[in-house]
Amino acid sequence: MGLWFPVIASVLRFVSNAILSLEAQRWVFQLLVRPTSVDRLEEAERRVLREAGFDDAEGSFFRHEFVPAGDHQLHTIIVGDERNPPVVLVHGHSMSAAFWCRNFQALVDLRYCVYAVDLLGWGRSDRPEFTGSSFEDTTAYFLNSFVAWKESLGLSSFVLIGHSLGAHLCMEFAYRYPSVPSHLILIAPAAICREVSWYRGFYFSLPPQRVTRRGGFLGYLLLFLKYPKTPEYNTPTSLFDYVFHLASQPSPAGDAAAAAFIEWDNLVPSIKRPLLDRLKPISIPVTLIGGGRDCLIPMDHLNALYDSLVTLCDDVSLHMICESDHCPMLEHPDVFHEILEERLVHAK
């Protein structure tokens, strides 16, 4: 034991110094820069929307609402004439309603009224603590408030468009409330198959919010290094700033709930309740959209979902945007809008 004592002491000293250094730089970063707040998040969102053509002159065409959703409120961006049929947009992991800003006008031009919602625990919606651990706990966290939200708005039927995590939740919602969606559009839906890459499992279990929230300057640097450098993610130029403020919000909420999708067995991650294990017949049109270069949702997973839905749905289509990564609606909005027009005009 005497021989090992100096080694153990050195390791403990190194660990304690590392922790103190990390905490010190985090507090200095917060003291000098004050990197985020609810007001700064709102201002960053305002810049993103303004650069997309939606300025602060809110009126009947474009406005923000904090809609009652049970015990909480969900921030919602409403665009268009409310006399037109509604289309509901549900964002993915780490995102928010404003990430649909490049798609608002195209949907309004198709004579829809757009309702883009910040899911509970994300964006500017309320951020209650997630206290569950199961798949059912996660879906209840997101969907119970979503159902209360749509009832507050009086939305009895609507086109439902979801991306990634949001697409997975939209599918679950359609099964529970089959008479509500008139058309289901799923963009790069998450958790299709039980198998998941180690990187994807790690991303859900230790999402960027946790690193950015606690990392101080190092968290900011890691987010900056990981953030895509392609023009699609840097125009408008304020998008990175918005992503940083979204990730830095102080209370773990939506990210903690999404982590419950993943389970680990001997350091191997898997999806607890993948879509392919829970498919049912569905009577409405279903449109699947994926990116040919998606680094998160493999093409073979999306093809497997399509092949299964074909046997359960009378009207299902699959569209691949070959040059797109995980966010086709953001990266290639023109091609995405062509698909929407083809499918939605046909549905009408």
Side-chain angles (χ1 to χ4, degrees):
M1 180 65 183
L3 293 175
W4 284 102
F5 183 79
V7 176
I8 295 172
S10 296
V11 171
L12 291 175
R13 187 162 48 248
F14 173 81
V15 171
S16 63
N17 288 336
I19 293 173
L20 286 173
S21 298
L22 287 171
E23 286 298 298
Q25 64 84 30
R26 183 174 70 87
W27 283 106
V28 169
F29 186 62
Q30 290 181 342
L31 180 64
L32 297 179
V33 183
R34 297 178 185 176
T36 195
S37 67
V38 174
D39 291 340
R40 288 195 174 192
L41 173 61
E42 181 180 355
E43 177 57 32
E45 180 183 82
R46 184 179 294 115
R47 289 195 299 271
V48 168
L49 293 169
R50 186 185 302 127
E51 292 182 24
F54 301 93
D55 59 27
D56 295 335
E58 297 186 15
S60 59
F61 178 78
F62 167 73
R63 68 183 189 275
H64 298 264
E65 283 192 16
F66 287 87
V67 179
D71 295 331
H72 307 290
Q73 289 187 325
L74 300 187
H75 169 243
T76 308
I77 300 173
I78 302 175
V79 190
D81 188 340
E82 292 187 61
R83 294 171 295 183
N84 289 337
V87 56
V88 171
L89 307 180
V90 183
H91 62 83
H93 193 288
S94 306
M95 302 175 82
S96 69
F99 273 80
W100 298 97
C101 63
R102 296 180 187 175
N103 315 120
F104 291 161
Q105 190 60 55
L107 287 165
V108 170
D109 290 343
L110 291 175
R111 298 185 180 280
Y112 284 96
C113 181
V114 176
Y115 296 82
V117 59
D118 285 347
L119 288 170
L120 190 68
W122 299 107
R124 293 169 58 199
S125 289
D126 287 350
R127 306 173 66 87
E129 180 184 4
F130 176 72
T131 58
S133 60
S134 67
F135 172 85
E136 290 75 17
D137 293 332
T138 295
T139 53
Y141 181 89
F142 292 121
L143 289 185
N144 288 353
S145 56
F146 180 77
V147 171
W149 169 85
K150 71 98 177 171
E151 290 175 352
S152 291
L153 288 169
L155 300 178
S156 58
S157 178
F158 45 81
V159 174
L160 184 55
I161 304 179
H163 170 248
S164 194
L165 171 65
H168 190 107
L169 294 171
C170 286
M171 194 76 172
E172 186 70 23
F173 174 84
Y175 284 145
R176 297 186 185 189
Y177 303 92
S179 64
V180 176
S182 59
H183 193 132
L184 192 59
I185 300 179
L186 309 177
I187 308 161
I192 296 173
C193 301
R194 187 170 300 279
E195 300 78 19
V196 63
S197 68
W198 194 91
Y199 166 78
R200 188 63 169 158
F202 184 78
Y203 177 89
F204 268 92
S205 301
L206 186 65
Q209 289 80 11
R210 295 189 184 183
V211 178
T212 307
R213 189 182 296 130
R214 294 289 302 173
F217 175 73
L218 291 179
Y220 179 89
L221 181 61
L222 288 171
L223 182 66
F224 176 79
L225 293 174
K226 180 63 179 173
Y227 187 78
K229 301 302 186 289
T230 56
E232 296 84 6
Y233 287 90
N234 293 280
T235 304
T237 55
S238 58
L239 190 55
F240 171 77
D241 184 53
Y242 181 49
V243 169
F244 172 73
H245 286 291
L246 281 173
S248 301
Q249 293 305 294
S251 302
D255 53 318
F261 268 98
I262 300 292
E263 59 185 356
W264 292 81
D265 184 17
N266 294 323
L267 298 180
V268 177
S270 61
I271 302 295
K272 291 179 180 177
R273 297 283 303 279
L275 282 177
L276 286 181
D277 288 359
R278 299 182 294 106
L279 292 181
K280 306 173 185 177
I282 190 167
S283 60
I284 59 174
V286 178
T287 300
L288 303 176
I289 302 176
R293 297 183 177 180
D294 195 329
C295 63
L296 300 176
I297 309 299
M299 289 181 61
D300 58 335
H301 287 198
L302 199 59
N303 285 326
L305 179 60
Y306 171 75
D307 291 341
S308 296
L309 283 174
V310 164
T311 66
L312 300 170
C313 178
D314 292 333
D315 185 359
V316 58
S317 66
L318 172 61
H319 307 263
M320 299 300 297
I321 302 179
C322 296
E323 300 301 315
S324 181
D325 199 334
H326 187 56
C327 302
M329 72 288 184
L330 186 69
E331 299 165 24
H332 297 274
D334 291 341
V335 181
F336 177 72
H337 297 157
E338 290 176 2
I339 297 170
L340 291 186
E341 182 173 8
E342 173 190 340
R343 291 292 287 166
L344 292 178
V345 170
H346 170 72
K348 284 184 175 179

